[in-house]
Amino acid sequence: MRVTVRLPIVRTEAEAEPAPAPRRRHPDWLRVPMPGGDGYTALRRMVKELGLHTVCQSASCPNIGECWNHRALTIMILGDICTRSCRFCDVKTGRPLPVDEGEPARVATMLAALDLNHTVITSVDRDDLRDGGAGIWAETLRACHEAAPDMTIEVLVPDFKGALADVDTVLDAGPDVFAHNLETVPRLSREVRVQARYDRSFAVLRRARERGALVKTGLMLGLGEEPAEVREVIDQLAELELTILTLGQYLQPSKSHLPVHRYVHPDEFAEFKRQALAAGIVHVESGPLVRSSYHAEGQAELIRRLQADAGKIGFASLRPPPA
């Protein structure tokens, strides 16, 4: 009879299992408290009850606790499934559901109930639609203007595959701020955004500026860009007469997304802000935790002043009140 004996494996200290590699930790300046509080909880409940989507949740924004407690959120229309697969973004990618024709009215209802001075609306990319979703964008804006005529509205739009007629559809509905993010410097654009192009995005911003809109864009830093490349983009945007610029730290949402190349120190963000303001950009938010809509609610008075100074008619805050 054969007997199998299993002996324990004994290792010397030199042969011991190697310790796992330490997990890369964010620097101290990137740490934020867990979301919570009465304001956060109430807003989360309202978003769920109305069946709305927010980019705050879908993109795993680190500022969700701070913003929602100040009743500031970014509504995401046209569903929560994007037709693109940008390598930095945590929004789901796939085949979107059919357009929800009742969404514009629900968005307007919620924003009116919140009694906000300013709000931000964004969307997934809908390359499956003939107009890229521009029609729903316009309906949403018109519904919000009617439900909350004193509220200024910033739109953060996709590139509509470069179709400027679709850009015009959104502009014709009277956003107070027209935003579209370049996301990164030209050299890295294809790697980071895959189905987008830097020149096409810049053309979208140029069209909005030519139409007299207040124009905003944002870049993520820490993806491998050189400081000189960031300064070059800042100069291009100043020449465009950009109104608002945001600069923030890229954070990797998961292992399947692009890794963080480096953590940009707050002092470097401050220097980029000084350069942008000196170049003529009116307002700059620059810091590790800055995102496209960060502190956007605090810009309402700035927006009204700039619109009045420019004498541009057609934006929400300059239209006569309803009879």
Side-chain angles (χ1 to χ4, degrees):
M1 182 178 65
R2 299 177 62 185
V3 178
T4 302
V5 178
R6 294 182 172 85
L7 298 175
I9 298 174
V10 178
R11 289 188 171 90
T12 66
E13 186 176 346
E15 296 172 329
E17 291 279 358
R23 185 178 177 183
R24 188 175 187 180
R25 299 178 66 86
H26 296 331
D28 290 341
W29 62 79
L30 277 170
R31 295 179 185 173
V32 295
M34 290 292 291
D38 294 342
Y40 169 82
T41 302
L43 199 52
R44 182 178 179 181
R45 185 186 310 115
M46 184 178 289
V47 168
K48 183 176 181 180
E49 288 174 352
L50 290 172
L52 299 173
H53 304 290
T54 71
V55 75
C56 320
Q57 296 165 306
S58 297
S60 305
C61 180
N63 302 315
I64 187 170
E66 176 188 355
C67 294
W68 282 28
N69 273 309
H70 286 89
R71 298 167 67 84
L73 77 169
T74 300
I75 293 292
M76 188 167 70
I77 62 173
L78 289 163
D80 63 345
I81 301 175
C82 188
T83 54
R84 299 191 185 179
S85 53
C86 296
R87 299 185 64 201
F88 68 89
C89 185
D90 205 24
V91 175
K92 291 183 291 187
T93 299
R95 180 177 295 178
L97 297 173
V99 171
D100 179 356
E101 300 293 344
E103 187 176 51
R106 289 203 311 278
V107 169
T109 297
M110 178 178 180
L111 294 178
L114 288 173
D115 192 26
L116 303 173
N117 285 328
H118 182 79
T119 196
V120 182
I121 302 174
T122 190
S123 80
V124 292
D125 282 277
R126 291 298 301 260
D127 294 331
D128 59 314
L129 302 177
R130 182 181 301 177
D131 66 350
I136 290 292
W137 264 107
E139 287 182 34
T140 302
L141 277 167
R142 287 192 287 266
C144 290
H145 292 330
E146 182 175 352
D150 295 328
M151 179 179 67
T152 53
I153 303 174
E154 174 185 317
V155 298
L156 175 57
V157 301
D159 64 11
F160 299 108
K161 293 194 288 189
L164 297 183
D166 295 332
V167 174
D168 287 339
T169 296
V170 178
L171 290 167
D172 289 343
D176 294 281
V177 178
F178 182 95
H180 173 67
N181 285 337
L182 294 173
E183 306 294 8
T184 188
V185 299
R187 177 176 59 86
L188 299 175
S189 187
R190 189 61 183 270
E191 177 186 3
V192 172
R193 302 168 72 207
V194 188
Q195 296 106 319
R197 297 203 321 259
Y198 183 90
D199 61 329
R200 190 163 69 188
S201 287
F202 204 89
V204 168
L205 294 171
R206 183 186 298 112
R207 178 62 158 231
R209 192 67 195 95
E210 290 171 349
R211 290 281 309 271
L214 302 181
V215 181
K216 175 178 179 179
T217 195
L219 281 80
M220 302 172 293
L221 305 186
L223 284 161
E225 71 289 332
E226 297 293 335
E229 293 177 300
V230 179
R231 290 193 292 269
E232 184 176 354
V233 171
I234 287 173
D235 288 342
Q236 292 174 352
L237 294 171
E239 186 175 348
L240 181 71
E241 297 183 337
L242 186 82
T243 311
I244 301 171
L245 173 64
T246 63
L247 301 171
Q249 170 71 52
Y250 167 68
L251 297 176
Q252 184 182 24
S254 76
K255 291 181 179 179
S256 63
H257 292 82
L258 287 170
V260 175
H261 187 269
R262 74 181 180 106
Y263 290 110
V264 180
H265 193 274
D267 291 347
E268 192 170 350
F269 277 108
E271 180 58 29
F272 284 134
K273 179 174 181 175
R274 285 192 289 270
Q275 293 170 2
L277 292 172
I281 296 174
V282 177
H283 186 84
V284 181
E285 294 281 351
S286 181
L289 287 171
V290 168
R291 296 296 180 265
S292 298
S293 306
Y294 192 58
H295 288 172
E297 75 281 2
Q299 298 165 18
E301 291 307 315
L302 167 69
I303 292 164
R304 290 185 174 91
R305 176 175 60 78
L306 292 173
Q307 290 176 345
D309 290 347
K312 296 295 180 183
I313 305 301
F315 296 102
S317 59
L318 291 184
R319 279 198 302 275

